[in-house]
Amino acid sequence: MPLIGHRTNPSAPAVPAAILDAFRGAAVAVISDNMNRLHGTKSLKPYHRSGHLVGTAVTVKTRPGDNQTLHKAYELLRPGDVLVVDGGGDEIQALVGEIMMSRAKAMGVAGFVIDGAIRDVAAFVEAGFPCYARSVTHRGPYKTGPGEINVPVAIDGMVVMPGDVVVGDADGIVTFDRADAEELLALVRQQEAREAQALTDITEGRLDKPYTGIVEKAAS
């Protein structure tokens, strides 16, 4: 049995395509609102051109500034997976760059979420490969370990479990257990409808009070 700090666990089953497709156009802000605004990234920024990230979390916990375990994780990555890396928020060494991004894209990986730094930003922009990270540096990584694969990780204050649903857009990242997807999606659709109506009312001059996004409960 590997010691803690050296564990590699099998990946969770891929999130069903129906769930991923249902959240593909959902705004992260709306999903966050319906998770009581408690779960999501705060400081990670997108470094690709634009577009949504949706996929299944494959998690890595690595020593800050070291990407040896990220390379090992490629043996487990599948099309539609998101490589979610707890790099301790380190901004001194880049954990991924153009070579790792190009390989992941060729494999059909959905994107990267890196609580640490990246480099070769122009290549990410050009490729349009979804990548969220804390910062950019030209300084490359060490490759000595240790690290773990498919363990719970902390990403910018957000706990991510292997196999979680990962959704990202220009506002940031949220993740959640697939078991919550059906209930969460219903709430998201309801808020989308309310917000669409509010925007229509504004355009047509019918909104007579501020829209708060909060559903008013009937008096009991």
Side-chain angles (χ1 to χ4, degrees):
M1 177 72 68
L3 291 174
I4 294 174
H6 298 275
R7 297 171 295 182
T8 295
N9 296 316
S11 295
V15 175
I19 293 176
L20 299 181
D21 290 342
F23 282 94
R24 203 168 298 281
V28 164
V30 174
I31 299 172
S32 174
D33 285 351
N34 288 284
M35 295 168 66
N36 288 295
R37 304 174 174 92
L38 285 176
H39 302 277
T41 57
K42 304 182 296 294
S43 303
L44 268 58
K45 297 175 289 189
Y47 284 96
H48 51 290
R49 279 195 305 266
S50 63
H52 268 63
L53 168 63
V54 183
T56 304
V58 170
T59 63
V60 169
K61 184 173 182 62
T62 185
R63 183 171 70 91
D66 191 297
N67 77 351
Q68 181 191 72
T69 308
L70 279 68
H71 284 281
K72 291 181 178 179
Y74 274 64
E75 299 173 10
L76 300 177
L77 288 174
R78 306 158 298 194
D81 283 344
V82 179
L83 184 63
V84 179
V85 180
D86 175 2
D90 178 73
E91 300 183 44
I92 298 175
Q93 319 292 148
L95 292 177
V96 296
E98 181 177 9
I99 298 297
M100 294 188 74
M101 178 272 291
S102 298
R103 182 183 176 196
K105 185 177 181 181
M107 294 168 61
V109 173
F112 294 157
V113 177
I114 311 290
D115 195 356
I118 68 167
R119 67 180 185 178
D120 303 328
V121 173
F124 282 93
V125 173
E126 178 65 25
F129 182 82
C131 179
Y132 296 78
R134 189 173 288 273
S135 66
V136 175
T137 178
H138 59 84
R139 296 172 57 133
Y142 298 105
K143 301 178 184 294
T144 55
E148 299 191 307
I149 302 171
N150 284 319
V151 296
V153 294
I155 304 294
D156 193 24
M158 173 180 68
V159 175
V160 183
M161 303 294 290
D164 275 357
V165 182
V166 182
V167 184
D169 64 15
D171 289 340
I173 297 284
V174 291
T175 67
F176 51 89
D177 190 318
R178 70 188 71 193
D180 297 321
E182 183 177 358
E183 181 180 7
L184 180 58
L185 182 63
L187 295 171
V188 166
R189 293 291 183 252
Q190 291 169 19
Q191 182 167 335
E192 288 173 340
R194 292 195 303 272
E195 293 191 356
Q197 185 61 56
L199 290 170
T200 298
D201 290 345
I202 290 170
T203 300
E204 298 179 358
R206 294 198 307 267
L207 194 66
D208 57 0
K209 61 181 179 179
Y211 174 75
T212 64
I214 298 173
V215 179
E216 296 182 3
K217 296 182 180 178
S220 57

